[in-house]
Amino acid sequence: AKKYLQGQGVPSDTVKAFYWYKKSAEQGNSVAQYEIGYMYSAGLGTLPDLKKAVYWSKKSAEQGNAKAQDWLAALYDLGMGTQKDESKAFYWYKKSAEQGNARAQSSLGLMYEEGKGTQQDDTKAFYWYKKSAEQGNPVGQFSLAWAYAHGTGTLTDPERAFYWLKKCIVKNNNSFYEYVLAKWYERGFGTQQNDAKAFYWYKKSAEQGFGMAQFAVALAYYYGRGSQINKKMAAFWMRKAYNDGFPGAKEKWDELQLWKYEGKN
């Protein structure tokens, strides 16, 4: 089944993969049960069926499969294929996290941080974010950086916050994470202040369509912060920010009279 799913030595065929995983799942194989649950969720090799996704994920989770426990928790957390149940989501995230699943660890941290399915506890949230981050999970790394930056569940530590933010961006092209990194370079938070690096990361974020970053890039071009003054580009990015619905873009457009620079060399 795995060979058909991944195209290992045979043409990729999700229908055949589904067929053989189901055969194995019906015989009690927990890995196959997890795969079937996921395939029902995504509609791979079969029609999507979230109720069957929950059924097979639960079968696998009850046998101790950490991936299935994480996936089942997410289904309960989102109310997909079953009634939304934060207590059950917390239970299965914890089961998976305790087995070392990095994604479940970051999700469990969030449950503790927000008090979902359990009592709110910033210290436990920090503990699980750190566990997840140390395994290289980018969501866990960002959450850990945020905890260090704001002193939630730990002492405030800007340098550690900056370290973990940089770590999470290396493997994760996330526009919000890039925006935060740019902001920290701009402010000199946890690192030496650097307008050029701030501009670089604002632009990376802006190119992915993040409105706050587009707004920041427009102002950087207008005032020459971290880049050469280029009012045509300032107008270009402010219009982008406006078109993406960023509040304040119209007001700044009018204030700076950016229409004067559109289309000009």
Side-chain angles (χ1 to χ4, degrees):
K2 188 175 182 180
K3 288 181 179 180
Y4 281 119
L5 188 62
Q6 298 180 353
Q8 295 176 347
V10 295
S12 178
D13 190 328
T14 55
V15 174
K16 286 183 179 176
F18 178 82
Y19 173 83
W20 289 111
Y21 273 133
K22 195 162 187 291
K23 284 282 189 186
S24 182
E26 287 167 347
Q27 293 183 55
N29 183 289
S30 68
V31 174
Q33 289 169 343
Y34 161 71
E35 294 290 352
I36 284 294
Y38 180 78
M39 291 178 85
Y40 270 125
S41 300
L44 288 171
T46 185
L47 292 173
D49 190 326
L50 290 173
K51 287 185 178 179
K52 287 181 180 177
V54 171
Y55 173 83
W56 285 109
S57 298
K58 194 165 187 286
K59 284 277 191 188
S60 180
E62 287 171 343
Q63 291 197 67
N65 185 289
K67 286 185 177 179
Q69 290 169 342
D70 176 43
W71 189 242
L72 180 62
L75 293 172
Y76 277 124
D77 197 8
L78 298 169
M80 292 173 61
T82 184
Q83 188 172 347
K84 183 178 174 70
D85 191 322
E86 291 178 350
S87 294
K88 287 181 180 177
F90 173 82
Y91 174 84
W92 288 112
Y93 278 137
K94 194 164 187 287
K95 284 282 190 185
S96 182
E98 287 170 345
Q99 291 197 70
N101 185 294
R103 191 172 70 174
Q105 289 170 342
S106 68
S107 297
L108 183 62
L110 184 62
M111 299 292 276
Y112 274 120
E113 183 182 346
E114 296 185 348
K116 289 171 60 179
T118 188
Q119 189 172 348
Q120 199 278 340
D121 191 322
D122 284 335
T123 302
K124 287 181 178 176
F126 174 82
Y127 173 85
W128 287 109
Y129 287 147
K130 195 165 187 289
K131 285 280 191 185
S132 178
E134 287 168 348
Q135 291 197 69
N137 181 275
V139 177
Q141 290 172 337
F142 180 79
S143 299
L144 183 62
W146 201 254
Y148 275 127
H150 296 89
T152 51
T154 186
L155 294 174
T156 303
D157 192 326
E159 289 185 2
R160 285 185 180 173
F162 184 81
Y163 169 83
W164 283 108
L165 181 60
K166 282 291 295 288
K167 288 276 279 187
C168 86
I169 285 173
V170 169
K171 296 182 180 178
N172 195 73
N173 191 28
N174 181 292
S175 62
F176 179 66
Y177 298 174
E178 290 168 349
Y179 173 81
V180 173
L181 181 60
K183 183 64 70 178
W184 289 2
Y185 270 123
E186 184 181 13
R187 293 178 178 174
F189 182 82
T191 187
Q192 189 171 350
Q193 198 278 339
N194 191 315
D195 283 335
K197 287 183 179 178
F199 176 78
Y200 173 84
W201 288 107
Y202 277 138
K203 197 159 183 292
K204 290 274 281 186
S205 177
E207 286 166 351
Q208 293 187 66
F210 192 62
M212 292 175 75
Q214 292 169 342
F215 184 80
V217 168
L219 293 181
Y221 273 125
Y222 188 87
Y223 293 110
R225 290 200 293 253
S227 77
Q228 294 290 322
I229 290 175
N230 187 328
K231 292 186 178 180
K232 179 182 175 182
M233 291 302 293
F236 173 82
W237 283 107
M238 194 63 76
R239 181 171 287 281
K240 282 270 197 186
Y242 173 78
N243 289 340
D244 284 340
F246 180 71
K250 183 184 185 304
E251 181 182 349
K252 190 59 71 173
W253 175 273
D254 292 340
E255 178 190 330
L256 300 179
Q257 300 181 2
L258 290 173
W259 68 84
K260 292 180 179 180
Y261 308 105
E262 269 199 309
K264 293 189 177 180
N265 293 326

